[in-house]
Amino acid sequence: MEPAAAASPPRTGISLRQLLMALGEPLVELQAAPAGLEVEIRSVALLDPEDPPITRPGELVLAIGARGRAAFPALRAGGRDGAAAVAVKLDTPAQAAALSETAVEAGVALLSVRSEARWEQIDALARTALDSTAQWRPGEPLEEGDLFSLAQTTAVLTGGIVSIEDTANRVLAYSRSTNTDEVDDLRRLSILGWQGPEAYLARLRKWGVFQRLRASDDVINIDSHPELGIRRRLAVAIRSGERQLGTIWVQEGATPLSEHSDQALLGAARVAALHLVRRRRELSADLTLTRTLAAGLLEGTTGPQPLASHLGLDAGRPAAVLGFSYGSAEATPPELTRAEVTNLVSVHTAARHRSALVTQADSRIYVLLPQLPRSIDLGTLRAWGQDITDAAQRHLGLSLRGSVGRIVPGLGEVPASRREADRILDAMVSVGVATTVAALPDIQAEVLVSEVLALLAAHPGMRDPRLTALVAHDSRSQGQLAESVLAYLNAFGDVRAAAAELHVHPNTLRYRIRRAEELTGLDLGRPDQRLLAMLQLRLPAAT
């Protein structure tokens, strides 16, 4: 009796070979594979040049912003920490040779990324390949969630070249093509740009293709247009009930599509729908849990460990909170614009820090930045915030205020960073601050004055009744005595400067100051009365 064969341990990732088969040309090219093509990839990570060069075993490291020789630290870190592969963008063949030599010495695979490709596209497609292919082996039946394998199988059944896209025409997966001469411009540009180029999409809209996809489950035939660089293709909508989730496109190559392409395409659309529905549910549930844990941590109602365990974060690394608010409560945008702002904040912070988490509370947006580099400073975070407010103004026409909470030593102190971010935003509203993004050291005095004013507003008994009477007199007579006194005090008693600020003659201002003192009995020559007047007349009810 022969001994039973030992069960091989289940794989938790995919091989480098499978990744290259899924992505391949025209996005990435293998430059070096010192450990072979069966090295296992278990996760994908973005490595920013400002981050310390730290990787994890089995990672595919996307070295964003580190072109050419600037990627040497990422390669050495990958070899030291056991990463599976490092992907970089190259400018010259000489760079490829030098980096390949370093990759071989470090024992880590090197992938080059086409310069036109976007890093977020590589990240999304690699994660899709990882999630969908990890449990599939050649010879096993196709699983419903295996998008890249589904694209490849559909290509075999139709004899064409397949792309699977979402409703925004972003490429989710595609089949491999061994002959690049068969690929037309629309396919090539769609993969490189992550979505169909607008000029081609406009043509398809003009021909009514998208309208027919929204209205019908039928396979749609699109004739070739050599003058536009478009070969014949078929398209079918991916649906869940009445809702369209995406589209499968099949481009004809050097030979005509197979006789039963329509039937194969309909079946592929139904399998793809199962995958996309399942993925949306899983992503939605995971995102809801992440947001709940992050919100609880920011509020101080949940400790750091649940979020750290859920996302695999190091709770002992530095962290900080960025806060953003709209110009005023009245200017709070509608829900659609709020979603656009949240997406904008998410994209910008994710590009800077891969662990960034974005959540909303009331009318404010918060960015939790866990496990920051120990070398990071407030100036860097302030610059990140400024980039976001500038982008909101430029792309959405929306004014945002931004605040930078203190950098705390670990996740457990995050509520303190959030409170500081809120103090800054409160001050920017109540006392007015010229800058759009600030940390506490930038506007320490303004924050403290804001909090003193809040104290006065909440406790009427702390106010001087003579100043209250002055404001009431102005309200009855539509006068400007209180405003004139405050301008005079803000100018340190410089009558000419205060008069210019108010656009009145200096003698008019002198008369108003005397009149205010006569009506109230105030003596603005006394420092304590001047101090209290400067504060109390800044209250909203006093202006």
Side-chain angles (χ1 to χ4, degrees):
M1 182 174 178
E2 296 183 359
S8 58
R11 293 171 65 103
T12 58
I14 63 175
S15 68
L16 176 59
R17 183 191 306 276
Q18 286 174 298
L19 179 74
L20 292 170
M21 289 171 64
L23 302 184
E25 283 287 357
L27 289 177
V28 299
E29 182 178 350
L30 179 66
Q31 298 292 335
L37 295 181
E38 299 309 314
V39 61
E40 187 178 12
I41 297 172
R42 298 195 290 271
S43 61
V44 185
L46 299 171
L47 183 62
D48 190 278
E50 296 182 3
D51 291 339
I54 299 173
T55 65
R56 296 184 181 89
E59 276 188 340
L60 166 62
V61 180
L62 307 182
I64 62 175
R67 297 184 78 99
R69 294 181 177 275
F72 280 131
L75 283 171
R76 297 188 183 106
R80 179 195 66 213
D81 300 333
V86 176
V88 303
K89 289 189 176 182
L90 302 174
D91 293 321
T92 65
Q95 288 180 354
L99 286 171
S100 295
E101 183 179 346
T102 301
V104 171
E105 292 174 357
V108 63
L110 172 65
L111 305 178
S112 61
V113 177
R114 287 284 293 269
S115 59
E116 306 97 316
R118 293 157 54 186
W119 281 113
E120 61 265 36
Q121 171 196 17
I122 302 295
D123 181 38
L125 289 173
R127 291 179 191 275
T128 298
L130 188 67
D131 293 342
S132 65
T133 314
Q135 304 304 320
W136 180 79
R137 297 292 175 271
E140 292 182 354
L142 181 68
E143 294 292 336
E144 63 189 35
D146 197 347
L147 271 189
F148 277 96
S149 295
L150 174 61
Q152 192 62 32
T153 299
T154 307
V156 171
L157 294 175
T158 61
I161 303 166
V162 176
S163 297
I164 302 176
E165 300 179 1
D166 65 11
T167 51
N169 301 111
R170 288 186 295 252
V171 178
L172 301 176
Y174 49 86
S175 65
R176 301 179 300 280
S177 176
T178 56
N179 185 356
T180 57
D181 291 338
E182 294 185 348
V183 177
D184 68 7
D185 290 345
L186 177 53
R187 153 96 175 190
R188 185 179 298 107
L189 293 173
S190 296
I191 294 176
L192 279 174
W194 198 9
Q195 65 182 48
E198 182 54 38
Y200 286 102
L201 296 179
R203 289 280 184 163
L204 295 175
R205 283 192 289 268
K206 181 179 179 180
W207 298 333
V209 173
F210 293 121
Q211 183 177 359
R212 292 167 63 193
L213 285 170
R214 286 191 296 269
S216 171
D217 293 331
D218 296 338
V219 175
I220 297 170
N221 180 75
I222 302 151
D223 293 332
S224 65
H225 291 269
E227 74 281 4
L228 300 175
I230 298 179
R231 297 193 181 192
R232 180 193 173 217
R233 52 190 10 93
L234 303 178
V236 67
I238 304 170
R239 293 188 186 284
S240 175
E242 296 298 317
R243 185 178 185 182
Q244 184 180 355
L245 304 178
T247 308
I248 301 181
W249 301 85
V250 180
Q251 180 222 300
E252 190 172 75
T255 58
L257 297 175
S258 66
E259 181 181 354
H260 301 292
S261 291
D262 286 20
Q263 183 178 357
L265 205 51
L266 286 172
R270 290 164 187 162
V271 174
L274 294 175
H275 167 77
L276 292 180
V277 168
R278 183 180 68 181
R279 186 168 71 168
R280 284 189 177 195
R281 287 174 180 164
E282 291 172 349
L283 287 175
S284 177
D286 182 78
L287 185 59
T288 299
L289 176 59
T290 299
R291 286 177 174 170
T292 300
L293 294 176
L297 179 60
L298 289 170
E299 291 285 349
T301 58
T302 304
Q305 203 52 51
L307 182 65
S309 299
H310 177 56
L311 297 179
L313 301 174
D314 183 350
R317 291 269 299 277
V321 174
L322 305 182
F324 296 92
S325 68
Y326 305 105
S328 65
E330 294 76 16
T332 301
E335 284 301 317
L336 178 60
T337 306
R338 286 168 65 100
E340 290 177 329
V341 174
T342 302
N343 288 338
L344 183 145
V345 173
S346 299
V347 168
H348 274 263
T349 51
R352 293 289 191 176
H353 188 62
R354 62 184 174 187
S355 301
L357 299 171
V358 178
T359 187
Q360 291 190 49
D362 299 324
S363 61
R364 290 180 177 175
I365 298 172
Y366 297 96
V367 181
L368 171 58
L369 299 168
Q371 53 187 26
L372 288 167
R374 299 190 186 279
S375 60
I376 203 162
D377 57 22
L378 288 175
T380 299
L381 299 184
R382 189 191 300 108
W384 293 1
Q386 192 66 57
D387 286 344
I388 290 170
T389 58
D390 290 347
Q393 184 65 57
R394 184 167 58 251
H395 297 298
L396 303 178
L398 196 65
S399 296
L400 289 183
R401 295 188 182 97
S403 63
V404 182
R406 74 180 70 171
I407 300 173
V408 294
L411 280 182
E413 292 77 23
V414 157
S417 183
R418 185 263 174 98
R419 286 193 294 271
E420 187 165 291
D422 278 336
R423 292 176 66 196
I424 295 165
L425 290 177
D426 290 342
M428 294 174 108
V429 172
S430 64
V431 302
V433 176
T435 184
T436 55
V437 179
L440 186 59
D442 304 325
I443 56 170
Q444 181 93 54
E446 289 87 344
V447 168
L448 295 175
V449 167
S450 169
E451 291 170 350
V452 171
L453 292 177
L455 195 63
L456 283 174
H459 297 84
M462 295 176 59
R463 304 178 203 171
D464 188 328
R466 296 171 296 181
L467 294 167
T468 303
L470 180 63
V471 173
H473 174 273
D474 278 351
S475 179
R476 290 192 305 270
S477 62
Q478 296 184 334
Q480 297 176 294
L481 297 182
E483 179 187 9
S484 299
V485 169
L486 183 57
Y488 170 73
L489 294 174
N490 285 342
F492 300 99
D494 186 333
V495 173
R496 293 190 177 277
E501 180 71 22
L502 295 171
H503 305 290
V504 299
H505 193 277
N507 286 340
T508 301
L509 180 60
R510 291 187 182 97
Y511 167 77
R512 290 179 181 178
I513 300 301
R514 288 196 303 271
R515 180 62 176 155
E517 290 180 318
E518 291 170 358
L519 282 173
T520 62
L522 287 168
D523 181 0
L524 296 180
R526 293 177 57 180
D528 53 350
Q529 293 193 26
R530 289 199 306 270
L531 175 60
L532 188 57
M534 286 187 72
L535 289 171
Q536 190 170 324
L537 293 179
R538 288 176 182 233
L539 290 174
T543 56

